[in-house]
């Protein structure tokens, strides 16, 4: 692993631990490495979606989109 050095002070910087986000739907914790949507907005409401909930939302949207196409 490479070292991170502050160019102003020359000191080695220890990176923070992985940030855990909380899903707005199921209230589980997830990280950037797992995927999902870390932070976004629906209108003015801040939201985060874990990979499982994001997949479910996308599948539901695809289902309703297909229903409109068949009419």
């Amino acid at each position: 692993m490479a070292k991170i050095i502050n160019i102003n002070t020359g000191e080695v910087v220890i990176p923070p631990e992985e940030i855990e986000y909380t899903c707005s739907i199921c209230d589980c914790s997830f990280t950037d490495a797992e995927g999902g949507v870390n932070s976004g907005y629906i209108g003015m409401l801040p939201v985060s979606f874990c990979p499982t909930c994001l997949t479910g939302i996308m599948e539901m949207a695809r289902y309703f989109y297909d229903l409109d196409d068949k009419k």
Side-chain angles (χ1 to χ4, degrees):
M1 178 177 235
K3 290 183 182 179
I4 300 172
I5 300 175
N6 184 329
I7 61 172
N8 296 321
T9 63
E11 296 177 4
V12 175
V13 177
I14 299 172
E17 298 295 320
E18 286 200 32
I19 299 171
E20 288 191 353
Y21 301 95
T22 303
C23 180
S24 298
I25 295 175
C26 69
D27 206 33
C28 73
S29 297
F30 66 99
T31 62
D32 283 333
E34 296 176 65
V37 175
N38 301 337
S39 60
Y41 291 91
I42 296 178
M44 58 187 255
L45 299 173
V47 295
S48 296
F49 299 124
C50 70
T52 304
C53 291
L54 179 62
T55 302
I57 292 169
M58 298 302 290
E59 289 296 318
M60 183 174 61
R62 187 174 297 123
Y63 173 78
F64 285 114
Y65 182 75
D66 287 344
L67 285 179
D68 289 341
D69 283 349
K70 293 178 183 177
K71 288 183 181 180

